[in-house]
Every structure is written in structure tokens, then in C-alpha cells.
């Protein structure tokens, strides 16, 4: 679906980034190759040069890029389980391209371009072929996408608040005081105990005869108070979690909101009124423009419908043109093959090399015949000498035999 949309955008020329679609497709192809274990099986095992994300987009070295293209296509075809020989640099490029395109037609991939477009090894058609081969390889290996698993967020522990010896929290002081009272509970004199003690010793208490007066000097008391006062100072540290500080902060914020709301509210009301007036003006002008442009809009709709019909007819006609183009490309390939065979036969017929080779062969055969005649003559002479020797020996044996008989 995404490729079809890109194709329509490129054909209609609506997108300014249409010329960069090939770069995006090349990056997608590189990601698919990585999923197919391209680094280990293609680069390392076959000793091939790794490609970049713009390798088949920008032509730099046509020979090297075409060889890499054919090797990569053959490797992708082999990934689907089909036997396909790895191409060599000395192979015929037309036959290699024809084998790759035949495989594309087998897997029902439309080939709507001439094979000569692949001889450079770069461009949108080369990327188109490799992209479809990679898709087919992933489909054959039953590759499936998995959902991304997001790890849970780790909660960072809150920093501990260091206690300062010079400052005491009020709650801590109260807790210490309660703990002391709990420890010395047996030494505390309760109200009931005082009442009982007072009731028991009421009669024993004697009232003083005169009013008690303090005999302490005021200056000495003041001096002692000044000495002890700094030690009695308790600095209470405000706790951010205390509800009292939150309440005070809320009261302060509410007072600020109340103060600032009066001026802001008037300003917002003015903006609201201006927006309503502007919207009314826009609606009035929109109604006026619709009335003025109603005829033009009707014409535009009719032209749009005609354009859609023409596009539909164009799609119907382009299907037949594509089929005829494919047949023409096939005939062109056959014609090139026939021309190549005629050129080879014509060059072999006009070339005098075979005649020279025949003459050399005849001369060589004559020399070999002369050598064979000499060898035959030598053998006949040896055979004749052997027969003469045998006859002489036979006569001597016969003579010896006759002599022995006579004796």
C-alpha cells in the first residue's frame, strides 16, 4: 500500500520529496538485509564488500555495482530455497539479468521496464528488484514483527533528609519528651495522686504566718537569664510534607489568583468579544464568496469528474501498453541473441585462421607419414636379416644332421 501511494505521488508530481523516495526505499532494503543476516552470510562468507545506505542510489563504479547487484540478487534468491548459481564477473550480463527477471515473473512481481535498465547496477529499477527479492525471502522464512517490550520504569528513591544538630524538628522534640515521660512514668505524680495527697495532708499543712516574699536580686536574675536564654532557643525546621505549609501556600496562591483575576478577566472578555466579531465577519464574507463562486465551483466539480474518468481510461489503456512493452522487450532480447550469433558466424566464415590451421595439419601429417615410412623400412630390413639368419641356421642344422646319419 505504501509503495502504491508513493508511485501515485511520483506520477502525479504532487510531492516535492518525490525524488527522494528512492533513498527511503534503499534504507528499507538495507534494514531487510540485516534481518536476513546479511553481514554474516553475504559479507563474511562470500567475501563481499558491505554496501552503504546510498550504494545503489548514486552511480560511482558501474562495473563493481553491477557485480554486487547480481551477487546480492542471487543470494536473495538462494535464501528462498531455490538453487541459483552465483554470477561471475566474466558472465554475460544479459543472461544473468534474464534469469533474475524470470524468477521475478515466477513469484508474480510485475516487471514493467526493459532489462537494459539493470546493466548499470544502480537506480530505482535495481532497488525495486532487490526490494521485492528481500520481501520474498522474508516471506519464505516466515519472518514476523513483534511488539516492542517497554521495560518498567525504576522508581528512584527519595533522598534522605539529613538532620542538623543545631536545628530540631518540633515533632522530634515532642517524641523525645513523650518517651521520657513513658520511661519515668512511675515517678510522675498524677492529678488523682495529688488530690489524695492533698486530702490526706490537709490537716497537717500549716499556713504561713506572713506573706512570702522573694529574696532574689533582680539584676542577678536578669544576668542569669541572659546567660541561659541562647541555650533555650529551639530552631524548628519547616517540613515540606507538613499540611500547615501546604495550607499557607494554598492561601497565598488563592490570594494571588483573586488579585490577578480582575484584570485578566476584563482582558479575556475583551478578547472574547473581538473573536466573536471577527467570526461574524468571516461568516458573512464566506457566505458572499460562496454565492459569487458557486458557478466556478460547479465547473470545477464537473472538470474534476472528467479528470477522474480520463485517469481511469488511462489506467485501462496503460495495462495493454505494459503487456505490449513486455512482449517487445522479449522480442528485442531474442533479436539481440540472433544478431550476436550471426556476428559470430560471419566472423568465423571470413576469418582465414581455419584454412591456415588445415595447412599446418596437412604438413604435420606428411612429416609423420615420412617418419612412419622410415620406420617401416627399418623394420622390413630387420625382418629380412632375421629370415636370412634363420635360413642359414637351418641349413647348418640340416648339414649337421646328414653328417651324423652317414656316420
Amino acid at each position: 500500500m505504501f509503495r502504491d501511494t508513493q508511485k501515485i505521488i511520483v506520477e502525479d508530481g504532487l510531492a516535492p520529496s518525490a525524488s527522494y523516495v528512492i533513498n527511503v526505499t534503499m534504507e528499507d532494503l538495507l534494514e531487510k538485509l540485516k534481518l536476513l543476516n546479511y553481514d554474516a552470510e553475504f559479507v563474511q562468507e562470500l567475501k563481499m564488500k558491505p554496501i552503504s545506505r546510498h550504494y545503489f542510489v548514486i552511480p560511482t563504479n558501474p562495473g563493481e555495482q553491477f557485480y554486487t547487484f547480481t551477487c546480492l540478487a542471487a543470494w536473495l534468491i538462494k535464501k528462498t530455497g531455490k538453487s541459483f548459481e552465483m554470477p561471475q564477473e566474466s558472465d554475460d550480463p544479459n543472461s544473468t539479468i534474464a534469469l533474475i527477471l524470470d524468477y521475478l515473473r515466477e513469484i508474480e512481481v510485475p516487471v514493467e521496464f526493459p532489462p537494459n535498465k539493470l546493466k548499470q547496477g544502480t537506480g530505482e529499477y535495481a532497488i525495486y528488484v532487490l526490494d521485492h527479492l528481500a520481501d520474498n525471502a522474508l516471506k519464505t522464512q516466515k519472518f514476523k514483527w513483534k511488539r516492542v517490550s517497554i521495560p518498567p520504569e525504576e522508581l528512584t528513591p527519595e533522598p534522605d533528609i539529613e538532620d542538623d544538630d543545631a536545628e530540631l524538628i518540633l515533632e522530634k522534640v515532642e517524641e523525645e519528651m513523650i518517651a521520657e515521660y513513658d520511661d519515668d512514668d512511675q515517678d510522675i505524680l498524677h492529678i488523682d495522686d495529688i488530690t489524695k495527697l492533698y486530702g490526706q495532708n490537709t490537716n497537717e499543712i500549716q499556713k504561713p504566718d506572713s506573706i512570702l516574699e522573694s529574696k532574689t536580686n533582680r539584676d542577678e536574675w536578669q544576668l542569669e537569664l541572659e546567660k541561659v536564654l541562647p541555650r533555650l532557643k529551639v530552631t524548628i525546621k519547616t517540613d515540606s510534607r507538613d499540611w500547615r505549609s501546604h495550607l499557607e501556600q494554598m492561601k497565598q496562591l488563592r490570594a494571588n489568583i483573586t488579585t490577578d483575576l480582575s484584570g485578566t478577566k476584563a482582558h479575556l472578555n475583551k478578547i472574547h468579544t473581538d473573536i466573536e466579531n471577527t467570526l461574524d465577519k468571516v461568516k458573512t464574507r464566506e457566505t458572499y464568496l460562496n454565492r459569487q463562486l458557486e458557478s466556478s465551483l460547479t465547473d470545477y466539480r464537473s472538470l474534476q469528474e472528467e479528470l477522474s474518468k480520463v485517469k481511469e481510461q488511462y489506467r485501462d489503456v496503460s495495462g495493454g501498453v505494459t503487456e505490449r512493452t513486455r512482449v517487445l522487450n522479449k522480442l528485442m532480447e531474442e533479436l539481440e541473441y540472433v544478431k550476436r550469433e550471426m556476428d559470430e558466424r560471419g566472423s568465423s566464415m571470413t576469418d582465414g585462421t581455419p584454412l591456415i590451421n588445415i595447412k599446418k595439419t596437412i604438413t604435420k601429417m606428411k612429416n609423420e607419414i615420412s617418419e612412419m615410412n622410415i620406420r617401416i623400412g627399418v623394420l622390413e630390413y630387420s625382418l629380412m636379416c632375421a629370415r636370412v639368419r634363420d635360413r642359414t641356421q637351418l641349413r647348418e642344422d640340416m648339414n649337421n644332421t646328414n653328417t651324423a646319419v652317414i656316420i
Side-chain angles (χ1 to χ4, degrees), residues 181-213:
Y181 290 151
D182 292 338
D183 295 339
D184 301 335
D185 191 11
Q186 58 184 358
D187 297 334
I188 296 174
L189 189 63
H190 297 282
I191 300 293
D192 299 335
D193 298 335
I194 294 173
T195 304
K196 294 178 181 179
L197 184 62
Y198 180 74
Q200 293 175 1
N201 299 330
T202 302
N203 298 326
E204 298 178 0
I205 295 174
Q206 297 179 357
K207 295 182 180 179
D209 298 336
S210 61
I211 299 173
L212 296 176
E213 294 182 1

Side-chain angles (χ1 to χ4, degrees), residues 13-40:
L14 299 177
S17 61
S19 58
Y20 298 99
V21 174
I22 185 174
N23 298 74
V24 179
T25 309
M26 180 61 202
E27 292 181 359
D28 293 342
L29 171 62
L30 191 58
E31 295 298 329
K32 294 174 185 177
L33 293 177
K34 291 179 180 179
L35 293 175
L36 292 169
N37 200 11
Y38 146 85
D39 294 327

Side-chain angles (χ1 to χ4, degrees), residues 85-313:
E85 295 183 359
M86 294 298 292
Q88 303 295 329
E89 294 184 359
S90 59
D91 293 345
D92 185 14
N94 293 321
S95 60
T96 305
I97 292 172
L99 292 174
I100 295 173
L101 294 181
D102 290 340
Y103 178 76
L104 286 176
R105 295 188 185 99
E106 287 181 6
I107 60 177
E108 298 181 356
V109 174
V111 181
E112 301 176 356
F113 54 86
N116 295 329
K117 295 290 184 179
L118 299 177
K119 285 188 176 181
Q120 295 181 355
T122 56
E124 57 179 344
Y125 300 108
I127 297 175
Y128 172 81
V129 171
L130 293 176
D131 188 47
H132 280 80
L133 291 176
D135 290 339
N136 188 40
L138 289 173
K139 183 178 179 181
T140 304
Q141 295 186 358
K142 297 181 180 180
F143 175 80
K144 294 182 180 180
W145 296 99
K146 298 181 180 179
R147 292 186 177 181
V148 180
S149 59
I150 302 175
E153 297 182 357
E154 297 181 357
L155 299 176
T156 57
E158 296 182 356
D160 298 333
I161 301 174
E162 297 181 356
D163 297 334
D164 193 356
D165 296 336
E167 298 180 355
L168 299 176
I169 301 175
L170 182 59
E171 296 177 355
K172 189 174 181 180
V173 174
E174 293 177 354
E175 291 175 359
E176 292 178 355
M177 291 175 66
I178 293 170
E180 291 178 0
Y181 290 151
D182 292 338
D183 295 339
D184 301 335
D185 191 11
Q186 58 184 358
D187 297 334
I188 296 174
L189 189 63
H190 297 282
I191 300 293
D192 299 335
D193 298 335
I194 294 173
T195 304
K196 294 178 181 179
L197 184 62
Y198 180 74
Q200 293 175 1
N201 299 330
T202 302
N203 298 326
E204 298 178 0
I205 295 174
Q206 297 179 357
K207 295 182 180 179
D209 298 336
S210 61
I211 299 173
L212 296 176
E213 294 182 1
S214 177
K215 297 179 180 180
T216 306
N217 188 2
R218 184 177 181 281
D219 295 335
E220 292 178 359
W221 180 261
Q222 188 70 26
L223 181 61
E224 187 68 22
L225 181 61
E226 290 178 358
K227 290 180 180 180
V228 178
L229 185 61
R231 299 183 181 180
L232 296 176
K233 184 179 180 182
V234 178
T235 304
I236 300 173
K237 182 179 179 181
T238 58
D239 190 5
S240 60
R241 297 171 293 178
D242 190 10
W243 62 272
R244 298 180 184 86
S245 60
H246 291 176
L247 182 60
E248 292 295 331
Q249 188 177 6
M250 290 169 64
K251 290 180 179 179
Q252 185 179 359
L253 293 174
R254 182 175 181 181
N256 294 335
I257 291 171
T258 306
T259 304
D260 299 336
L261 182 60
S262 58
T264 307
K265 189 174 182 180
H267 186 63
L268 290 175
N269 291 331
K270 184 180 178 181
I271 293 174
H272 178 67
T273 306
D274 294 341
I275 290 173
E276 286 184 349
N277 296 331
T278 304
L279 287 175
D280 293 337
K281 291 179 182 179
V282 169
K283 288 181 181 178
T284 305
R285 292 181 181 178
E286 184 179 359
T287 305
Y288 175 75
L289 289 173
N290 287 334
R291 291 176 182 175
Q292 294 293 326
L293 299 175
E294 186 175 0
S295 59
S296 300
L297 290 173
T298 305
D299 296 339
Y300 174 74
R301 292 191 189 96
S302 62
L303 292 174
Q304 193 74 17
E305 292 176 357
E306 292 179 0
L307 178 61
S308 62
K309 292 179 181 179
V310 171
K311 284 185 177 180
E312 188 67 24
Q313 293 176 359

Side-chain angles (χ1 to χ4, degrees), residues 397-407:
D397 292 339
M398 290 177 67
N399 293 329
N400 293 330
T401 304
N402 295 327
T403 305
V405 171
I406 293 172
I407 293 171

